[in-house]
């Protein structure tokens, strides 16, 4: 794999391809919600454009940033199909607004501090989905990355099963997930009242709405953890726990305090522990070499 730090540091895309709309490839619409993320926004945009995908619709929904983000968006305006910078009701609202203007056969969102990896994820997903229009969501493995674009650890994709997911089995790296319009509609979009695990709620709602989930091989996306991110800062840990508890209670009718819930959670985590450990050990060797 091409070095990620190099991949997101400079423009390597073909300008003609980036502005193209080759109908022989399914159109992929990528929505980037952002707010005051200028330190990472350019790298996110380059991780998308440098894929050199010939039928890309890049949409950026900025929540009214005051940190130089709009200057970055103006610089890449020729390659962005649609962007706005105005106050919104949060991340989910920004994503929904972007999805409403998106015209692609394949949809995704990528937060403005995350990246697509230099492994051809757009081409890979397009080949897998093709012209299929049913409620379909595909996903692959991902990496956790740091502020300097270094790969920290593997996020292995697991089979998505709603019951297991609600009991704490992390199975889909959001940065590696793509879906059809029917899957988006089956989920009812993203819940604007959810602040921290809106991707997980989206996956559950899509599954309950009849969406078919398919795992594809390979590394697709990078999830950046840093000092100001929701996960890295810990500032919304309580909100995250409340969001997940509310979702579990609504779908399962039980909470983390129930003995049966705790037992199933432990069982499901144990079920995948050996596989996770093996995959992460192999990935660590690939990234860092033998210790």
């Amino acid at each position: 794999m091409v070095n990620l730090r190099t991949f997101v540091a400079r423009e390597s895309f073909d300008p003609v391809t980036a502005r193209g709309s080759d109908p022989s490839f399914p159109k992929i619409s990528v929505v980037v919600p952002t707010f005051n993320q200028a330190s990472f926004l350019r790298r996110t945009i380059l991780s998308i454009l440098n894929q050199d995908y010939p039928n890309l619709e890049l949409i950026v929904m900025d929540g009214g940033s005051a940190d130089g983000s709009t200057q970055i968006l103006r610089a890449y305006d020729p390659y962005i199909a649609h962007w706005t910078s105005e106050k919104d009701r949060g991340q989910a609202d920004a994503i929904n607004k972007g999805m409403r203007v998106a015209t692609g056969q394949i949809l995704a969102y990528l937060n403005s501090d995350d990246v697509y990896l230099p492994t051809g994820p757009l081409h890979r997903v397009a080949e897998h989905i093709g012209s299929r229009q049913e409620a379909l969501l595909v996903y692959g493995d991902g990496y956790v990355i740091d502020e300097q674009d270094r790969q920290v650890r593997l996020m292995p994709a697991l089979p998505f099963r709603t019951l297991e997911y609600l009991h704490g089995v992390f199975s889909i790296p959001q940065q590696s997930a793509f879906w059809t319009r029917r899957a988006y509609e089956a989920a009812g979009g993203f819940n604007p009242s959810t602040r921290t695990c809106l991707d997980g709620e989206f996956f559950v709602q899509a599954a309950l709405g009849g969406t078919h989930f398919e795992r594809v091989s390979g590394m697709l996306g990078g999830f950046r953890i840093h000092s100001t991110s929701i996960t890295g800062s810990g500032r919304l840990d309580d909100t995250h726990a409340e969001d997940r508890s509310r979702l579990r209670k609504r779908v399962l009718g039980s909470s983390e305090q129930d003995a049966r819930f705790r037992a199933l959670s432990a069982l499901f985590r144990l079920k995948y522990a050996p596989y996770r450990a093996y995959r992460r050990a192999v990935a660590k060797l690939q990234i860092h070499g033998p210790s």
Side-chain angles (χ1 to χ4, degrees):
M1 183 172 74
V2 177
N3 182 277
L4 178 60
R5 298 177 72 179
T6 301
F7 185 68
V8 299
R10 62 171 183 261
E11 298 175 4
S12 61
F13 61 90
D14 180 347
V16 175
T17 301
R19 291 192 295 265
S21 55
D22 187 341
S24 63
F25 291 80
K27 181 185 286 187
I28 299 179
S29 299
V30 179
V31 175
V32 177
T34 184
F35 181 65
N36 287 336
Q37 291 277 12
S39 56
F40 300 115
L41 179 59
R42 182 175 181 271
R43 282 181 266 177
T44 298
I45 290 173
L46 286 180
S47 83
I48 300 169
L49 295 177
N50 284 347
Q51 300 295 328
D52 259 339
Y53 186 74
N55 199 0
L56 171 69
E57 183 178 54
L58 176 55
I59 298 166
V60 183
M61 307 302 292
D62 177 70
S65 296
D67 66 343
S69 292
T70 54
Q71 287 90 325
I72 296 172
L73 296 177
R74 291 190 187 100
Y76 288 97
D77 181 78
Y79 312 108
I80 301 176
H82 175 88
W83 69 271
T84 60
S85 182
E86 59 188 21
K87 188 175 181 179
D88 54 43
R89 294 186 293 136
Q91 182 185 11
D93 182 47
I95 296 170
N96 287 334
K97 286 181 178 179
M99 293 292 171
R100 283 195 287 270
V101 301
T103 61
Q105 298 164 246
I106 302 170
L107 307 172
Y109 82 87
L110 188 67
N111 290 323
S112 57
D113 50 358
D114 297 334
V115 297
Y116 288 138
L117 299 174
T119 53
L122 302 189
H123 286 84
R124 189 172 304 185
V125 167
E127 182 177 355
H128 186 90
I129 295 179
S131 61
R132 297 162 68 183
Q133 298 292 326
E134 70 264 31
L136 174 67
L137 189 149
V138 303
Y139 61 100
D141 294 327
Y143 279 117
V144 172
I145 62 174
D146 65 13
E147 294 184 56
Q148 286 76 44
D149 307 303
R150 292 175 297 213
Q151 298 159 11
V152 177
R153 67 177 182 272
L154 174 72
M155 295 188 295
L158 299 174
F160 180 83
R161 298 182 175 93
T162 306
L163 183 63
E164 293 182 350
Y165 188 86
L166 289 169
H167 280 82
V169 175
F170 175 85
S171 52
I172 302 179
Q174 174 271 312
Q175 302 76 17
S176 300
F178 299 78
W179 50 86
T180 61
R181 172 67 64 177
R182 287 191 180 179
Y184 177 77
E185 293 170 349
F190 291 85
N191 185 353
S193 66
T194 300
R195 296 183 62 193
T196 63
C197 55
L198 55 94
D199 54 331
E201 183 166 356
F202 175 80
F203 299 148
V204 170
Q205 289 301 123
L208 295 176
T211 294
H212 180 59
F213 288 67
E214 294 180 0
R215 181 182 165 209
V216 298
S217 63
M219 310 293 175
L220 305 184
F223 170 44
R224 192 187 306 277
I225 294 181
H226 52 93
S227 59
T228 60
S229 66
I230 291 176
T231 302
S233 66
R235 57 190 169 85
L236 293 179
D237 284 355
D238 291 342
T239 304
H240 179 72
E242 291 171 3
D243 284 342
R244 290 193 66 86
S245 180
R246 173 184 49 78
L247 178 62
R248 289 164 174 161
K249 185 73 173 178
R250 176 167 59 82
V251 178
L252 298 176
S254 61
S255 71
E256 296 86 341
Q257 306 307 316
D258 297 332
R260 184 174 183 275
F261 181 94
R262 294 198 302 270
L264 281 175
S265 294
L267 177 64
F268 290 144
R269 285 195 297 271
L270 183 62
K271 173 182 176 180
Y272 292 107
Y275 177 77
R276 287 180 185 277
Y278 169 74
R279 291 291 313 280
R280 284 177 171 164
V282 171
K284 185 177 181 180
L285 284 175
Q286 293 173 339
I287 296 171
H288 304 292
S291 58

